[in-house]
Amino acid sequence: MSSRGTKRKKLKVCLPGQKKMTSFLGTAEAKEDGSDGEMGEIVGSVHAARTGPASVQDAPTSGAAEPTVPNQDQVAAGTSGEEQEQECSLEEQNKKRAQFLEQFKKKEKKKKNGGHLVGYQEKWETMFDWLYPVNDYTGLMCRVCKRHNMRQKNGEYIWSRIPSTSLRTDKVWDHHRSEQHKKAVALDTARIAAEVNGGIRQAMAVNVSLNREAVKAALKVVYHLAKKEIPHHTNFKDLVKFASTELGCDVFNRLNVAGNATYTSSTVVDEFLAVLGTQLEEDQLNTIKGSPFLGLMCDETVDISTTNELVLYCRCIDGHGEFQAHFMKVIALKDGKANTIKAALSQYLEQKDLSIQKVAGFGSDGAACMIGNRSGVATQLKEENARIVSIHCIAHRLALAVGQAGNKVKFIGDVFKPNLMSLFLYYYGSAVRSEGLKEIQKILQEMELKLKQPKDVRWLSHDAATDALYKSLPSVLVHLNQEMNKGVAAANGLWSWLRTYKTIATLYLLCDVLPHMSALSKCFQQKRLDLTEIHNTVDRKKDVVRKARDQPLEELRLSKLDEELGPGGRLDGLDILVSERDRQEFSSVRRQFIDNLLENLEERFPQTELLSAFGVLDPANLKTPMPGGYGWPEIEKLTAFYNEEPYPIDSHAIRDEWIAFRQHLGSYRQKTPKEMCQVLSANPTLACQYPNIASLYARMVVIPVHTADCERAFSTLKRVKTRLRSTLTTANLNHLLRISIMGPAMDSFDFDKAVARWGSLRNRRLLV
């Protein structure tokens, strides 16, 4: 026997009056076991009793060869490989027990696996009530995690479906502290509480609550995809799977009720989308129906599937008197005739229970089918409501005014604009030429700009095109000259056209005038533009343009042209042809263009009596001191126009109201008509005193002055209904557009209401 064996033999522990029995492994057995003389596994336990002999039973062995810590009964009873009779006092027994445990702990530190004891230990079941062994003590399972089918962050079902084979105390503690186990304990606590507090009903409530959270999370995913204009059919299932398996979002596991009910199919996704879109539409309709008057805007387009689409918008006033513009619907038309459009509008208003009598204004792009005097849509609507004011979109009017003014000048319409498009296509169609131009821009230390496409159908795109050419003019001339020397015929023609004084001066003139028209167009595209702002803004721009007729505008491009052509100038050395004839011809071009532009602005922005009469309601137009009869002619015109049912203006009452109300206008000089409408709605005292005045403000605010909102919807339509999504149904398309255009931020949307709506659509296996 080795010295270690001898030393172990001295560790004799027994109870008072009990025979000591010691059992230990031999040296050979210890070596085979890999312990090299270490204490062998305890193979028996002695059950002591005050009466009767001790009995030895075989203990279950684990799959590991490492020794286990003797339990308290074994230590108290003592183990021995030889029989001796010896009496031990209680004090001696406690001392021996403490010494034995201390020595055993020291030996544990020497074990492999980082000092951790490997192998199943019975004390784990006492320490952790959730743990139980499987597979002949070679694996561990968690009762709580198995009950709730929990998974780890990496998506594995260790401890719940698959046993853990890490038989170490630290691994057991790691699971005890893991998020997987904590969530399972929380669910189990809720289950037990439900059973205690209400039995099956409470348990069902907890289950339904968890299901609702799963559906709510799924709705948020669909809402996010629609808001970001990402295809929902092809991305929803993959996104849910990624969040569930890779990010550990176990909430989505509740969607998998059974093998054939996963609630991630395209049909369910369409239901989610319909619920979200319908909820938004109902909220909009509640606001629209509460508005005293409405304004309609519509425009046509053809989508990627060659379907004729009509985009409909509505202007209204909410309960607080604040102006709002809502996307209503995209309506598929079989053709673009006026009767078809009118029938579609009437059908939609009837379906949504909106009265045509509340429509105060109708805005369109000015096409013949929209504003035709005989059978246009506006004319047919006026047959049902004579009080509708038809407006041709001012942004379209401005673009037409500028475009026609240039086309009436032969040099601009027949020479300059076509060559400007040819120059753009010359570089747009060739990457080699574009790179060559870019290299010259670097050498000349100019901005690396690409030429822009001039297109009449795009509002004032000529401004961007001429500005880009002006900034890159030296580089373009140098590069065209190089290309011409290589024998490129197109470059020769463009260079010959661009190097003349007449062409360059016309370019500089357009760069001086068109920015003012672009600023006017951007102003007209604002959602909160008032009727009273149109003519004042147009008049100010006309005064600026009129100054450019006979001489260049001060400190602008044309005024510096001769300086740039001179020695040391920006265009010096570029072989520009300057002649007196070109100067005279350009002077004629300048006068013709400015005269035509002013004439078109006058024709397309007439001072109509009705729209001008609304200007009296603008506090900014109030004269100081105020004349005694201020506003009477305008109020009489408005009263005469709105004197019929169903919402007439009381001609007698409004006279008394106007006498008193115009005294208030001086206190609101900084407010716009839209803000005045809000003031009257927010102040019950003023609303009661001036009901007819408030009605005029409400009408003026909702009358549409442009259809820029419809144009923005066209852009969204093209981004949503692409070539790969050309088979979108009209219903899904409307829901997607409504969420993208009108949908609030995710934290402002009521998803709980959407969950309840989805659950009420039909009977489902997933209870919510």
Side-chain angles (χ1 to χ4, degrees):
M1 181 178 295
S2 65
S3 59
R4 289 192 176 184
T6 305
K7 189 175 181 179
R8 289 179 188 164
K9 187 175 180 180
K10 295 179 181 179
L11 297 176
K12 300 174 181 179
V13 183
C14 66
L15 293 173
Q18 179 184 348
K19 294 181 180 181
K20 295 187 292 183
M21 300 178 64
T22 308
S23 175
F24 48 89
L25 296 175
T27 305
E29 294 176 342
K31 290 183 178 180
E32 290 179 2
D33 194 36
S35 61
D36 191 19
E38 296 286 346
M39 177 180 288
E41 179 182 8
I42 298 174
V43 298
S45 62
V46 180
H47 298 278
R50 293 191 178 272
T51 61
S55 61
V56 180
Q57 297 177 345
D58 292 336
T61 59
S62 65
E66 303 295 335
T68 59
V69 180
N71 56 32
Q72 298 296 331
D73 292 338
Q74 290 174 325
V75 175
T79 59
S80 174
E82 62 181 357
E83 297 184 358
Q84 291 183 356
E85 294 186 0
Q86 184 177 347
E87 296 292 333
C88 292
S89 65
L90 182 60
E91 182 179 356
E92 182 183 5
Q93 178 187 352
N94 292 335
K95 184 178 179 180
K96 294 293 185 179
R97 182 189 298 116
Q99 184 180 5
F100 175 83
L101 291 177
E102 183 179 357
Q103 292 180 7
F104 195 86
K105 289 179 180 178
K106 290 181 180 179
K107 292 181 180 296
E108 276 189 344
K109 296 181 180 179
K110 300 179 182 179
K111 300 296 181 181
K112 54 184 178 180
N113 291 295
H116 295 285
L117 188 64
V118 177
Y120 179 75
Q121 302 181 52
E122 292 182 357
K123 66 177 182 180
W124 288 344
E125 295 188 47
T126 304
M127 297 170 60
F128 309 103
D129 57 351
W130 46 264
L131 181 144
Y132 67 97
V134 295
N135 300 337
D136 196 17
Y137 295 91
T138 61
L140 303 176
M141 295 286 287
C142 176
R143 292 185 177 89
V144 185
C145 291
K146 181 178 181 180
R147 182 179 297 118
H148 297 285
N149 195 28
M150 301 301 292
R151 69 172 69 181
Q152 295 177 330
K153 287 186 177 181
N154 60 2
E156 297 292 337
Y157 288 91
I158 308 297
W159 292 96
S160 58
R161 296 183 186 176
I162 305 172
S164 173
T165 57
S166 299
L167 305 182
R168 287 170 33 177
T169 304
D170 62 319
K171 297 299 182 181
V172 179
W173 274 108
D174 288 345
H175 176 71
H176 184 73
R177 302 187 188 100
S178 67
E179 292 296 327
Q180 172 193 8
H181 184 72
K182 289 179 180 179
K183 290 180 180 179
V185 171
L187 294 174
D188 212 48
T189 303
R191 177 185 64 82
I192 295 173
E195 292 176 355
V196 173
N197 297 329
I200 297 177
R201 180 178 299 177
Q202 292 294 332
M204 182 63 70
V206 172
N207 187 56
V208 169
S209 177
L210 295 173
N211 292 345
R212 290 178 66 88
E213 290 300 319
V215 175
K216 185 176 179 180
L219 285 168
K220 287 184 177 181
V221 173
V222 176
Y223 190 86
H224 172 77
L225 293 174
K227 191 67 178 174
K228 297 299 181 181
E229 300 172 356
I230 302 173
H232 59 292
H233 277 166
T234 55
N235 289 280
F236 175 79
K237 188 173 183 178
D238 291 339
L239 188 56
V240 168
K241 183 179 180 181
F242 174 78
S244 178
T245 58
E246 302 298 331
L247 304 181
C249 299
D250 294 327
V251 65
F252 291 110
N253 294 339
R254 307 290 301 187
L255 297 177
N256 190 0
V257 178
N260 61 343
T262 59
Y263 291 97
T264 56
S265 65
S266 59
T267 302
V268 174
V269 175
D270 284 341
E271 288 182 354
F272 288 153
L273 180 64
V275 165
L276 296 171
T278 303
Q279 182 170 320
L280 274 177
E281 184 181 19
E282 288 184 357
D283 293 341
Q284 292 175 353
L285 287 175
N286 291 335
T287 302
I288 293 172
K289 291 179 180 179
S291 177
F293 298 99
L294 305 176
L296 297 180
M297 298 179 290
C298 64
D299 203 351
E300 294 177 87
T301 189
V302 178
D303 60 26
I304 191 67
S305 62
T306 64
T307 302
N308 201 17
E309 305 278 13
L310 179 71
V311 174
L312 179 63
Y313 260 81
C314 179
R315 294 164 64 102
C316 65
I317 301 172
D318 63 11
H320 304 288
E322 188 174 352
F323 163 80
Q324 293 186 6
H326 290 280
F327 166 79
M328 299 292 286
K329 192 176 183 181
V330 168
I331 305 174
L333 303 175
K334 62 181 181 180
D335 55 55
K337 297 181 180 179
N339 292 336
T340 305
I341 297 174
K342 167 58 173 56
L345 285 176
S346 299
Q347 181 180 4
Y348 178 78
L349 294 176
E350 184 178 355
Q351 288 177 350
K352 302 305 178 183
D353 195 23
L354 298 174
S355 174
I356 188 67
Q357 302 302 324
K358 293 179 66 175
V359 178
F362 176 76
S364 66
D365 60 352
C369 65
M370 291 290 185
I371 60 173
N373 293 329
R374 294 184 178 181
S375 59
V377 176
T379 302
Q380 296 185 43
L381 291 175
K382 289 180 180 180
E383 293 176 359
E384 300 182 27
N385 181 2
R387 306 281 74 81
I388 293 179
V389 178
S390 177
I391 300 291
H392 176 193
C393 173
I394 56 175
H396 282 87
R397 279 190 275 172
L398 180 63
L400 291 172
V402 177
Q404 291 180 359
N407 292 334
K408 289 182 179 179
V409 180
K410 186 175 182 180
F411 175 75
I412 295 178
D414 296 344
V415 179
F416 188 89
K417 290 174 64 176
N419 285 337
L420 187 62
M421 175 63 78
S422 298
L423 184 63
F424 165 77
L425 295 176
Y426 181 79
Y427 288 101
Y428 180 78
S430 173
V432 176
R433 294 169 184 168
S434 298
E435 288 298 323
L437 177 61
K438 187 183 296 185
E439 290 296 327
I440 294 178
Q441 289 174 337
K442 291 180 180 179
I443 295 173
L444 298 180
Q445 297 182 353
E446 293 183 345
M447 297 177 61
E448 296 183 13
L449 295 177
K450 291 184 177 181
L451 299 184
K452 307 296 182 181
Q453 182 181 17
K455 205 170 184 179
D456 289 334
V457 296
R458 294 180 182 175
W459 293 344
L460 301 176
S461 63
H462 287 84
D463 178 28
T466 54
D467 183 67
L469 179 57
Y470 166 78
K471 294 177 179 177
S472 305
L473 184 58
S475 300
V476 172
L477 286 170
V478 172
H479 186 260
L480 288 176
N481 190 21
Q482 292 180 354
E483 293 286 298
M484 180 189 65
N485 294 333
K486 295 178 182 178
V488 180
N492 185 16
L494 292 173
W495 183 75
S496 301
W497 161 73
L498 192 57
R499 65 190 289 254
T500 63
Y501 176 86
K502 185 177 180 181
T503 299
I504 295 177
T506 303
L507 173 66
Y508 279 44
L509 172 66
L510 295 177
C511 288
D512 288 349
V513 175
L514 292 183
H516 294 283
M517 299 295 101
S518 294
L520 193 60
S521 178
K522 293 177 182 177
C523 176
F524 288 164
Q525 295 175 44
Q526 296 180 54
K527 289 185 177 182
R528 298 182 174 275
L529 183 68
D530 293 322
L531 280 172
T532 56
E533 298 178 29
I534 299 175
H535 297 292
N536 294 336
T537 307
V538 172
D539 290 341
R540 288 194 293 268
K541 293 299 181 182
K542 285 193 295 186
D543 293 338
V544 174
V545 172
R546 192 175 289 110
K547 295 178 182 179
R549 181 182 184 277
D550 299 318
Q551 59 183 2
L553 296 174
E554 295 181 3
E555 299 300 324
L556 294 183
R557 298 169 180 82
L558 187 59
S559 63
K560 301 179 180 180
L561 177 57
D562 291 336
E563 180 182 346
E564 293 183 359
L565 290 172
R570 192 170 75 110
L571 303 178
D572 183 28
L574 296 178
D575 197 18
I576 305 299
L577 298 179
V578 182
S579 64
E580 188 63 27
R581 179 181 177 182
D582 278 354
R583 290 181 180 274
Q584 293 177 358
E585 290 181 354
F586 167 70
S587 297
S588 176
V589 169
R590 180 175 63 185
R591 288 191 297 270
Q592 293 179 37
F593 175 70
I594 298 300
D595 289 342
N596 290 332
L597 180 58
L598 293 173
E599 181 181 352
N600 276 273
L601 291 176
E602 290 287 349
E603 291 179 357
R604 296 190 176 277
F605 295 92
Q607 291 280 0
T608 60
E609 293 184 358
L610 181 65
L611 299 183
S612 300
F614 275 112
V616 75
L617 300 176
D618 189 352
N621 295 334
L622 183 64
K623 298 180 180 179
T624 304
M626 183 175 57
Y630 175 75
W632 283 122
E634 291 82 0
I635 292 297
E636 289 177 354
K637 290 177 183 177
L638 294 173
T639 304
F641 185 77
Y642 293 113
N643 62 348
E644 297 181 1
E645 295 290 345
Y647 305 101
I649 297 295
D650 191 334
S651 58
H652 298 288
I654 197 172
R655 294 180 63 87
D656 298 331
E657 291 180 20
W658 178 246
I659 293 174
F661 180 76
R662 63 183 183 179
Q663 304 301 325
H664 291 281
L665 289 178
S667 304
Y668 300 103
R669 286 186 178 274
Q670 304 301 322
K671 292 189 177 296
T672 64
K674 283 187 174 65
E675 294 172 338
M676 287 301 301
C677 182
Q678 191 172 357
V679 168
L680 290 173
S681 299
N683 193 327
T685 303
L686 292 177
C688 292
Q689 293 181 29
Y690 312 112
N692 291 283
I693 298 294
S695 178
L696 289 177
Y697 272 113
R699 285 179 166 94
M700 180 179 65
V701 165
V702 300
I703 293 176
V705 295
H706 60 70
T707 59
D709 294 315
C710 296
E711 300 293 338
R712 297 186 186 100
F714 291 159
S715 300
T716 307
L717 173 62
K718 291 179 180 179
R719 294 194 304 269
V720 172
K721 192 172 183 179
T722 60
R723 180 179 59 84
L724 297 178
R725 305 178 75 186
S726 59
T727 58
L728 275 174
T729 63
T730 302
N732 282 349
L733 179 61
N734 275 287
H735 295 319
L736 292 170
L737 293 178
R738 185 169 290 108
I739 294 174
S740 177
I741 298 172
M742 303 300 302
M746 187 171 293
D747 56 357
S748 301
F749 190 87
D750 190 356
F751 285 99
D752 291 324
K753 183 179 178 181
V755 171
R757 178 189 295 274
W758 180 80
S760 63
L761 292 178
R762 65 182 69 180
N763 293 328
R764 305 182 187 276
R765 298 176 65 178
L766 185 67
L767 299 178
V768 294

